[in-house]
């Protein structure tokens, strides 16, 4: 009887260790998922290429959240709200300056001094 009890206790200990190992794997996957969901998700809309110029949000392109990246050597990039107040003033480039993520509303004005790509993001 005592050896049977010891066998059952050993099985229980093994199962507890297995549960701990599985819980550790679940915790690691949760951390990974939290990290990944914090990254930008591309929206379903297609990216838009803008050449140097000025664009009105709501007329030339829909309002929303965008990631802007330069195409070429780099450029100055601005967004002004409907009152003319600058909400984005950045330099886009390959070396020191990178992409930029921003929100737009109808009536905002986008100005770029070079070719850029706007990628809708969630």
């Amino acid at each position: 009887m005592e050896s049977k009890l010891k066998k059952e206790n050993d099985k229980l200990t093994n199962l507890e260790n297995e549960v701990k190992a599985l819980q550790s794997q679940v915790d690691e996957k949760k951390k990974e998922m939290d990290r990944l969901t914090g990254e930008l998700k591309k929206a379903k809309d297609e990216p838009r290429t803008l050449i140097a110029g000025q664009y009105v949000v709501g007329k030339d392109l829909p309002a929303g959240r965008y990631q802007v990246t330069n195409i070429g050597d780099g450029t100055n990039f601005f967004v002004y709200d409907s009152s003319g107040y600058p909400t984005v003033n950045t330099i886009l480039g390959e070396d020191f300056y990178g992409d930029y993520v921003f929100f737009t509303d109808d009536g905002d004005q986008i100005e770029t001094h070079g070719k850029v790509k706007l990628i809708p993001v969630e």
Side-chain angles (χ1 to χ4, degrees):
M1 178 83 167
E2 197 171 306
S3 67
K4 191 174 185 180
L5 183 60
K6 183 177 177 353
K7 235 184 212 182
E8 293 300 318
N9 279 338
D10 289 344
K11 283 183 186 178
L12 181 60
T13 300
N14 288 338
L15 289 173
E16 287 172 344
N17 289 337
E18 192 175 328
V19 167
K20 285 179 186 177
L22 290 171
Q23 186 61 50
S24 176
Q25 289 177 6
V26 167
D27 292 343
E28 283 300 314
K29 292 298 178 186
K30 282 183 181 178
K31 286 179 188 175
E32 183 179 350
M33 190 163 81
D34 289 343
R35 182 183 57 81
L36 291 174
T37 55
E39 294 177 1
L40 292 176
K41 295 180 189 175
K42 288 187 180 176
K44 294 176 183 165
D45 294 338
E46 291 295 316
R48 297 172 181 264
T49 301
L50 304 179
I51 59 171
Q54 297 178 337
Y55 302 86
V56 177
V57 177
K59 180 180 177 189
D60 299 318
L61 62 142
R65 184 177 185 208
Y66 291 94
Q67 176 182 346
V68 62
T69 185
N70 75 302
I71 299 174
D73 294 329
T75 185
N76 292 335
F77 184 82
F78 309 93
V79 178
Y80 302 94
D81 66 15
S82 58
S83 301
Y85 181 78
T87 57
V88 175
N89 179 354
T90 190
I91 299 170
L92 303 171
E94 293 179 19
D95 298 330
F96 183 73
Y97 303 99
D99 297 353
Y100 191 83
V101 177
F102 64 98
F103 288 92
T104 61
D105 291 316
D106 286 341
D108 288 357
Q109 186 174 8
I110 294 176
E111 179 181 336
T112 180
H113 294 183
K115 196 172 185 180
V116 297
K117 183 188 290 187
L118 289 182
I119 303 165
V121 293
E122 294 179 355

